[in-house]
C-alpha cells in the first residue's frame, strides 16, 4: 500500500490548476466553459457538481487531455500540460462505463496499463497488480472475468487499474451513476477509505448532490459553463452565494426583499410582511441600503408557531398547502399569506401533534427561523 500512496509534500500544494479556461466546440453557438479558474490541493477529494450540460465533464476531459481548451492554462503537478497527450499526463481516469476488457481476467485488466508502459518486468507487474487488488479488496477475484462480477465489483476493478499506475490525480467521471442505491453507498465509503488510506487526490464529476456532499472535501458548482461557487460541503449547502446554488443544492427557501440596513455584523431585509435579519452574507461586501437581495434559509431551519408573537422579525405567516409524512419528520409545503411565495418546512413529527395530512391542509401558522440560519444573496 505504501507504494501507491500519494507522494506530494504538502496537502496545501495545488496539484491541479485551471487558470481562466474557456472552451467552445466547433459549430457551437456558445462556450461550454467560460473563464474557469480553480485549483485542487494534494490529498483533496474535489467534486464538480452541476446539471447536465453545465461544463463539468468538459473540464474533467480537459484535465485528462481528451479535449484541449480554447483559451487558458492547465497545470498538473506544477507543469503546463496544454498539448501534452493523455498517456503522458500524471493522471488516470475512471469512466462511467468502467471500460473493462471483457476477455481479460480481473488481474489482466489491472495489469494492462503496466504492460503498455513497457517499463516493468513480469514479476513487478504481477506484484503491483495484486497489491492494487488487495487495496480495493478484490484479490480473491483476480482470475474471474468482468462478466462474473457485480457492478460495484467491476467499478473497483476500474479503480484498481487506475491506482496501479500511481497517478498524481485520479479523475472520476460519474463513477457511481450506473449502480443501485445500496451499492452506490458502499462505493462512496470505498472511495472515502481509499482517499484516507492512500492520501490520493481525487477529482469527481457528479450530478448527485448527496454524493458530492457526502464524500468531498470541496465542491465546485457549475451552471451553464460558469463556476457558481466553490466551497466545503457545509459552505455550499448552508451558505449559498448565488440563487442557482441555493436552488440546486438541497432545498432552500428564497424570500425577495430590500436591504434596510447592512454592516459587518448583520443585514436586515424588508420582505414585505416580515423583517428578516441575517448574521451572514454571501461574500464579504457590504450590501447597499435599498438594494435588492434574497433571504435564503433551509426548510429544516424552520420552527412552527401557532400564535402570532409580538415581533415580526424572522416571522412569516403561512398556510399549509400539502404535507408528506416521512416517519420522524414531516415535509410541509406552504404559501406565504400576503405574497403567495411558496416555501418548504421540514419539521419533527412531534411538532404537529400527530395530525393527519387532512387535518394539516389549509392550517394557518407562522414560520420562525434564527438569524444565523439565514444567508443573504444579492440580486
Amino acid at each position: 500500500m505504501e507504494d501507491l500512496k500519494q507522494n506530494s509534500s504538502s496537502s496545501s500544494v495545488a496539484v491541479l490548476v485551471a487558470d481562466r479556461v474557456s472552451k467552445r466546440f466547433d459549430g457551437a453557438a456558445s462556450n461550454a466553459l467560460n473563464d474557469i479558474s480553480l485549483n485542487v490541493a494534494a490529498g483533496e477529494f474535489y467534486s464538480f457538481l452541476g446539471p447536465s450540460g453545465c461544463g463539468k465533464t468538459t473540464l474533467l476531459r480537459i484535465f485528462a487531455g481528451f479535449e484541449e481548451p480554447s483559451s487558458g492554462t492547465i497545470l498538473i503537478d506544477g507543469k503546463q500540460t496544454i498539448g501534452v497527450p493523455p498517456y503522458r499526463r500524471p493522471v488516470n481516469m475512471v469512466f462511467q462505463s468502467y471500460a473493462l476488457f471483457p476477455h481479460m481476467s480481473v488481474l489482466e485488466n489491472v495489469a494492462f496499463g503496466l504492460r503498455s508502459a513497457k517499463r516493468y518486468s513480469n514479476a513487478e507487474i504481477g506484484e503491483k497488480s495484486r497489491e492494487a487488488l488487495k487495496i480495493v479488496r478484490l484479490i480473491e477475484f483476480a482470475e474471474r472475468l468482468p462478466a462474473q462480477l457485480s457492478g460495484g465489483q467491476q467499478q473497483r476493478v476500474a479503480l484498481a487499474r487506475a491506482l496501479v499506475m500511481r497517478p498524481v490525480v485520479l479523475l472520476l467521471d460519474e463513477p457511481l451513476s450506473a449502480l443501485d442505491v445500496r451499492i452506490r453507498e458502499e462505493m462512496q465509503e470505498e472511495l472515502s477509505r481509499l482517499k484516507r488510506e492512500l492520501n490520493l487526490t481525487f477529482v469527481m464529476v457528479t450530478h448527485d448532490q448527496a454524493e458530492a456532499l457526502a464524500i468531498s472535501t470541496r465542491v465546485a458548482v457549475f451552471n451553464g459553463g460558469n463556476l457558481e461557487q466553490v466551497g466545503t460541503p457545509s459552505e455550499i449547502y448552508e451558505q449559498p452565494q448565488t440563487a442557482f446554488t441555493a436552488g440546486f443544492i438541497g432545498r432552500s427557501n428564497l424570500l425577495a426583499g430590500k436591504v434596510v440596513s447592512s454592516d459587518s455584523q448583520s443585514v436586515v431585509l424588508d420582505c414585505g410582511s416580515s423583517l428578516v435579519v441575517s448574521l451572514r452574507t454571501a461574500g464579504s461586501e457590504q450590501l447597499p441600503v435599498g438594494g435588492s437581495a434574497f433571504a435564503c434559509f433551509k426548510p429544516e431551519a424552520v420552527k412552527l408557531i401557532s400564535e402570532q408573537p409580538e415581533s415580526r422579525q424572522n416571522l412569516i405567516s403561512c398556510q399549509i398547502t400539502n404535507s408528506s409524512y416521512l416517519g420522524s419528520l414531516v415535509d410541509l409545503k406552504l404559501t406565504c399569506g400576503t405574497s403567495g411565495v411558496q416555501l418548504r418546512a421540514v419539521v419533527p413529527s412531534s411538532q404537529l401533534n400527530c395530525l393527519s395530512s387532512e387535518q394539516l391542509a389549509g392550517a394557518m401558522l407562522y414560520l420562525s427561523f434564527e438569524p444565523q440560519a439565514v444567508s443573504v444573496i444579492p440580486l
Side-chain angles (χ1 to χ4, degrees):
M1 184 180 295
E2 199 66 33
D3 186 50
L4 291 175
K5 283 192 176 181
Q6 179 87 321
N7 53 14
S8 299
S9 59
S10 170
S11 61
S12 64
V13 175
V15 295
L16 205 61
V17 176
D19 184 18
R20 304 192 66 180
V21 169
S22 295
K23 174 68 177 181
R24 177 173 292 196
F25 292 99
D26 293 342
S30 60
N31 285 355
L33 292 171
N34 297 305
D35 205 31
I36 302 297
S37 294
L38 56 80
N39 62 82
V40 180
E44 278 201 280
F45 199 119
Y46 197 112
S47 291
F48 297 167
L49 177 64
S52 298
C54 68
K56 59 188 185 295
T57 299
T58 298
L59 183 58
L60 193 79
R61 290 177 60 83
I62 287 174
F63 281 133
F66 300 128
E67 303 286 352
E68 290 290 345
S70 302
S71 62
T73 300
I74 296 291
L75 299 177
I76 301 177
D77 209 18
K79 298 177 182 177
Q80 168 67 257
T81 59
I82 302 297
V84 177
Y87 63 88
R88 292 193 179 278
R89 299 188 181 205
V91 300
N92 265 10
M93 191 161 175
V94 177
F95 297 92
Q96 181 179 350
S97 62
Y98 315 146
L100 301 179
F101 298 108
H103 62 287
M104 292 184 181
S105 70
V106 166
L107 185 64
E108 289 169 338
N109 266 281
V110 174
F112 181 80
L114 295 173
R115 292 194 188 283
S116 300
K118 298 180 179 179
R119 297 196 304 266
Y120 306 98
S121 67
N122 287 336
E124 289 175 314
I125 290 172
E127 180 183 354
K128 291 177 181 292
S129 299
R130 286 185 172 83
E131 178 65 19
L133 284 175
K134 287 179 183 177
I135 289 171
V136 299
R137 301 173 180 174
L138 283 179
I139 188 61
E140 66 271 25
F141 299 98
E143 302 307 321
R144 293 193 186 183
L145 294 174
Q148 297 173 307
L149 304 178
S150 69
Q153 289 168 336
Q154 290 182 42
Q155 186 61 277
R156 283 192 278 166
V157 175
L159 280 169
R161 186 174 59 183
L163 290 170
V164 78
M165 299 304 295
R166 301 183 63 192
V168 171
V169 182
L170 193 59
L171 307 175
L172 308 173
D173 183 14
E174 303 217 35
L176 311 183
S177 61
L179 304 176
D180 62 39
V181 174
R182 183 180 62 82
I183 301 299
R184 189 182 306 135
E185 290 175 352
E186 291 178 0
M187 284 304 302
Q188 289 176 12
E189 294 175 2
E190 187 76 3
L191 290 172
S192 296
R193 181 184 68 83
L194 290 173
K195 187 263 177 195
R196 184 174 60 252
E197 293 182 0
L198 303 180
N199 194 30
L200 280 171
T201 304
F202 288 83
V203 176
M204 179 178 72
V205 161
T206 183
H207 63 270
D208 189 316
Q209 303 160 33
E211 185 174 282
L213 296 177
I215 60 180
S216 306
T217 53
R218 280 196 296 165
V219 179
V221 181
F222 287 78
N223 178 37
N226 298 306
L227 189 57
E228 291 277 332
Q229 185 174 347
V230 174
T232 64
S234 62
E235 289 169 345
I236 292 291
Y237 184 82
E238 297 175 11
Q239 302 175 48
Q241 294 179 358
T242 68
F244 174 83
T245 301
F248 186 74
I249 305 298
R251 295 171 178 165
S252 294
N253 293 313
L254 294 174
L255 284 176
K258 296 288 185 181
V259 178
V260 175
S261 66
S262 175
D263 56 35
S264 60
Q265 301 298 318
S266 65
V267 179
V268 179
L269 296 181
D270 184 350
C271 296
S273 61
S274 175
L275 284 177
V276 177
V277 179
S278 169
L279 296 185
R280 59 183 182 220
T281 61
S284 58
E285 73 278 4
Q286 188 167 320
L287 300 178
V289 173
S292 299
F294 281 123
C296 173
F297 55 96
K298 293 294 181 181
E300 59 269 25
V302 166
K303 293 181 180 179
L304 302 182
I305 301 175
S306 58
E307 297 183 2
Q308 182 176 5
E310 294 183 6
S311 173
R312 58 188 279 257
Q313 179 178 301
N314 291 18
L315 190 76
I316 303 170
S317 173
C318 291
Q319 182 177 31
I320 297 175
T321 57
N322 190 58
S323 63
S324 299
Y325 178 70
L326 305 176
S328 62
L329 300 172
V330 177
D331 185 358
L332 300 174
K333 292 183 180 179
L334 309 107
T335 301
C336 288
T338 55
S339 65
V341 172
Q342 302 297 305
L343 299 177
R344 300 290 285 268
V346 177
V347 299
S349 302
S350 57
Q351 276 199 35
L352 301 175
N353 298 318
C354 299
L355 296 176
S356 67
S357 298
E358 291 76 14
Q359 292 171 311
L360 290 172
M364 301 296 297
L365 44 75
Y366 297 90
L367 299 188
S368 174
F369 42 91
E370 298 296 326
Q372 58 265 32
V374 183
S375 292
V376 175
I377 302 173
L379 290 177

